[in-house]
Amino acid sequence: MTNTIRLALVLAVSVVALPHAQTTTAAPSATKRHVEMLAGDALEGRLAGSPGEKLAADYLVKELQRIGAKPLPASTDFQMPFDFTAGSKDGGSTITVTREGGAPKAFATRAEVQALSFSDNGEISGPIVFAGYGLVVPDSQNFGYDSYQGLDVKDKIVLVLRYFPEDADQQTRATLARYSDLRYKAQAARQRGAKALVVVTGPRSPNAGEVVPMSFDTALAGSGLVAASASGAVANAIFAATPDKTLEAVQKELDGGNPHVAGFAIPALTVTVKAAVERQRQTGHNVIAYLPATTPTDAIKKPWVVIGAHYDHLGRGSAGGSLATKEQAGQIHHGADDNASGTSAVLAIAETLATQPRKRNLIVAFWSAEELGLIGSNAFVTNPPVPTTEMAAYLNFDMVGRSSDNKLTVQATGTSAIWPKMLEQANIAAGFDLTLQEDPYQPTDVGSFNQASVACLAFFTGAHADYHKPSDTADKINYEDLDRIVTFASGITRRLLDLDDAPSFTKVDQKTESGGGRAGLRIFTGTIPDYATEVKGLLLGGVIGGGPAEQAGLQKGDVIVEIAGQSIANIYDYTYALELLKIGQPAKVIYLRNGERRETTLTPAARK
Ligand SMILES: [Zn+2]
């Protein structure tokens, strides 16, 4: 599972290590061998695009061949590659400082200048304005702090300090810290017409004078601004043009947190910022096979059923999402429950059904790059090998290995009227203490299929203390119950393969939205961003039924480029722009539909 929501879940449940039912079973477990293989050290935590992911994919292909599954029609291979942004590195950024009548001073080493990971590639030359910490607290916070007050930065380069005032009282620091993210500072600069942003770590701050290391960033598009971090030496060369001021003295004045300490233009100086970011594209691999119908009939509607699980995990946690303790940092994140358990369940269900007759085709899918934002399953539904309208249902298995007290949760049951009764009937034999949740807006691959209007279910045994930590290991899996889940879900899948009528899809109205940053906690717009596609603006993967975005007439495929006067270059801009919205107050939205520029009004609601 992706981190956003589960983290909250982990924090919300009391994390007591529950004893597992480890009684000896007569038959050997159908899933244990797979979990031990996938969660083993050799696979290095199965990070999407890594050698460990390839080893896992190879294992899955062998298992699929063993049970007699076939590559999809029109395909000769089980592995379906897709590209994604795995990180960024500097591609040769430079800063040149030229005083009027003086010789240019060039800085070009990585210790002196580095592009910020979200920078546009480009070169900007012009005057530079010092804007303090570059912090802007939205009016909605009633706090009154704007580093740009009284400054004209239009078409200029802005120089700001990293972090936030060092000596301010705790309350002030807590407020300003929320707006000190460099993306937020970049957006504030761009909204005021700046052409470039230079960030320096002040002499009074931690990491004084050091450049900001290029961070892991899965953003596909730049932020619409040239942005770089510079060393103390670069800052000193710039401040040399203001003989009455030093950076340290100016920082000291700002560090009290007084909002009236003003920035200033630096006279008689031309600065050239060239930012070069190499976004590292990587290839992930979905592993997809199918079991063809044994008794196909033309009469059957929607002749495909899909079962799936993501098989990628966090590697050693370097790509984000890790909840490792300090002592565990850098260790292999085994991902036995997340999601060797679901992967094993899908293999075992496929093996069970392979020898049984069926009217529909069964697609057996293993997704990669789920942990980076549902990228694999999104790639699949965006370019489906068979039309999604031909898919009768999708069943997802993510974290199904930690059942305790006989509990099993099935989510997304609101996506079809058929589910509650079908689950109830299947559970007569299975006997789980079953919890049904209608909500399909889950931080797991079921979200991709719900957006594609496929009736779906997600099986889940709950969050636990080892979630996204190296300690999510194979020995902690409750195999007995995992195998019972396989039996239960095999029965449901069998019924779906043979039903004459396909389940009809129901769009679930939703009062909360998944994902979202700081503003997501407060404001509800009902938009579902598409994280996987490269586009300038915010591409909507869908809208939440009954939500403000749907009421505003927005729909899947629309690209939001401006909201409430804030231009939107990417998902981060959007998250920040939400902070400026007021609940119940209509905001103008400019968006592109099929390339055509349109306008509507969206009224944000309060998050429930
Ligand atoms: Zn996860």
Side-chain angles (χ1 to χ4, degrees):
M1 288 200 180
T2 55
N3 207 10
T4 10
I5 300 302
R6 288 303 156 217
L7 175 58
L9 255 178
V10 168
L11 297 175
V13 296
S14 65
V15 281
V16 183
L18 290 156
H20 305 303
Q22 292 285 11
T23 50
T24 43
T25 44
S29 164
T31 52
K32 193 164 185 246
R33 178 170 63 93
H34 303 314
V35 171
E36 286 177 346
M37 171 67 195
L38 293 165
D41 283 353
L43 271 58
E44 289 265 334
R46 313 184 301 282
L47 181 66
S50 76
E53 182 225 45
K54 277 297 284 176
L55 288 174
D58 291 345
Y59 175 79
L60 296 173
V61 169
K62 279 211 186 78
E63 287 297 315
L64 288 166
Q65 286 168 331
R66 184 179 63 76
I67 66 176
K70 308 260 179 291
L72 287 178
S75 181
T76 54
D77 200 346
F78 290 102
Q79 299 201 22
M80 297 180 69
F82 58 89
D83 289 340
F84 64 99
T85 300
S88 323
K89 69 173 193 195
D90 193 274
S93 301
T94 59
I95 293 182
T96 307
V97 179
T98 312
R99 289 181 69 174
E100 230 171 61
K105 237 184 178 161
F107 300 89
T109 70
R110 296 292 71 82
E112 290 166 330
V113 50
Q114 280 196 31
L116 295 171
S117 56
F118 51 80
S119 175
D120 276 5
N121 286 323
E123 183 174 312
I124 301 290
S125 213
I128 191 161
V129 176
F130 177 70
Y133 276 96
L135 291 163
V136 178
V137 179
D139 290 343
S140 59
Q141 302 301 299
N142 291 320
F143 189 77
Y145 194 104
D146 182 352
S147 295
Y148 290 89
Q149 198 143 43
L151 291 183
D152 173 18
V153 299
K154 191 160 174 17
D155 297 329
K156 294 174 185 161
I157 298 167
V158 172
L159 174 68
V160 303
L161 289 164
R162 191 181 179 190
Y163 306 125
F164 45 89
E166 298 289 339
D167 306 327
D169 63 83
Q170 210 176 8
Q171 175 74 42
T172 301
R173 286 168 57 82
T175 303
L176 295 180
R178 295 181 64 218
Y179 303 95
S180 66
D181 186 291
L182 291 176
R183 282 189 173 278
Y184 194 84
K185 292 189 182 186
Q187 195 201 10
R190 184 165 53 86
Q191 301 291 0
R192 284 154 185 82
K195 286 277 186 262
L197 176 76
V198 177
V199 177
V200 61
T201 312
R204 303 187 74 248
S205 296
N207 307 308
E210 286 175 26
V211 297
V212 180
M214 183 79 79
S215 65
F216 176 84
D217 196 328
T218 51
L220 292 157
S223 57
L225 187 79
V226 166
S229 78
S231 70
V234 179
N236 289 341
I238 293 168
F239 267 78
T242 59
D244 57 324
K245 293 185 173 83
T246 65
L247 181 58
E248 179 153 16
V250 169
Q251 187 186 9
K252 187 154 200 282
E253 221 184 325
L254 287 160
D255 277 352
N258 181 343
H260 303 298
V261 179
F264 46 86
I266 293 178
L269 197 72
T270 301
V271 175
T272 303
V273 184
K274 182 190 151 200
V277 185
E278 284 173 9
R279 293 194 167 82
Q280 291 156 337
R281 300 292 285 172
Q282 271 194 7
T283 304
H285 302 83
N286 290 332
V287 178
I288 315 281
Y290 89 120
L291 297 168
T294 55
T295 52
T297 67
D298 288 344
I300 210 145
K301 291 180 193 115
K302 301 192 176 188
W304 299 85
V305 171
V306 187
I307 57 173
H310 79 87
Y311 73 95
D312 69 303
H313 194 52
L314 302 172
R316 287 176 179 268
S318 58
S322 171
L323 295 174
T325 62
K326 247 193 179 136
E327 294 73 39
Q328 297 170 325
Q331 293 177 12
I332 294 170
H333 289 54
H334 296 89
D337 185 35
D338 185 11
N339 185 29
S341 68
T343 305
S344 306
V346 169
L347 272 177
I349 294 165
E351 184 164 5
T352 303
L353 299 178
T355 52
Q356 299 180 7
R358 57 193 164 268
K359 294 182 189 165
R360 285 191 172 81
N361 309 293
L362 179 66
I363 293 181
V364 183
F366 302 100
W367 317 115
S368 189
E370 188 271 355
E371 300 285 12
L372 304 176
L374 317 185
I375 296 172
S377 57
N378 239 308
F380 180 87
V381 299
T382 304
N383 289 300
V386 301
T388 50
T389 50
E390 296 291 292
M391 297 176 189
Y394 172 68
L395 307 190
N396 190 66
F397 300 82
D398 195 352
M399 298 178 66
V400 288
R402 290 291 197 99
S403 175
S404 62
D405 299 337
N406 194 38
K407 280 188 243 167
L408 174 64
T409 299
V410 184
Q411 299 165 320
T413 59
T415 57
S416 180
I418 201 173
W419 295 135
K421 199 166 171 204
M422 188 184 280
L423 287 161
E424 226 171 84
Q425 284 176 347
N427 197 40
I428 293 170
F432 281 106
D433 180 359
L434 207 57
T435 302
L436 304 190
Q437 294 176 349
E438 293 188 353
D439 188 355
Y441 301 95
Q442 303 294 336
T444 174
D445 296 301
V446 77
S448 299
F449 282 84
N450 178 56
Q451 277 180 49
S453 302
V454 178
C456 46
L457 292 176
F459 295 78
F460 179 44
T461 52
H464 48 78
D466 297 307
Y467 171 72
H468 278 204
K469 290 180 181 167
S471 51
D472 177 8
T473 48
D475 58 303
K476 291 176 182 156
I477 297 298
N478 178 348
Y479 292 103
E480 194 179 320
D481 282 354
L482 177 53
D483 290 342
R484 289 175 61 218
I485 292 168
V486 167
T487 306
F488 177 55
S490 295
I492 293 164
T493 310
R494 257 212 78 147
R495 291 209 49 193
L496 291 167
L497 290 170
D498 289 343
L499 276 181
D500 287 332
D501 286 320
S504 58
F505 174 76
T506 308
K507 187 172 178 179
V508 175
D509 279 5
Q510 181 60 15
K511 294 293 176 266
T512 60
E513 58 199 307
S514 56
R518 47 189 66 114
L521 299 171
R522 201 169 56 82
I523 289 266
F524 173 55
T525 59
T527 50
I528 303 170
D530 177 339
Y531 295 96
T533 314
E534 185 153 13
V535 64
K536 269 265 194 255
L538 179 87
L539 174 63
L540 295 183
V543 294
I544 288 170
E550 189 182 70
Q551 283 162 13
L554 292 167
Q555 63 188 45
K556 180 182 163 116
D558 290 346
V559 179
I560 296 179
V561 295
E562 189 183 313
I563 185 161
Q566 304 287 305
S567 63
I568 308 295
N570 53 46
I571 175 80
Y572 301 95
D573 285 354
Y574 182 71
T575 306
Y576 293 134
L578 290 184
E579 191 69 46
L580 303 170
L581 301 182
K582 290 206 170 80
I583 293 158
Q585 191 170 308
K588 188 170 90 173
V589 176
I590 295 173
Y591 63 101
L592 306 176
R593 180 172 294 169
N594 303 320
E596 184 196 327
R597 206 173 159 87
R598 297 186 179 202
E599 196 181 308
T600 184
T601 302
L602 181 150
T603 306
R607 180 175 273 276
K608 299 246 162 57

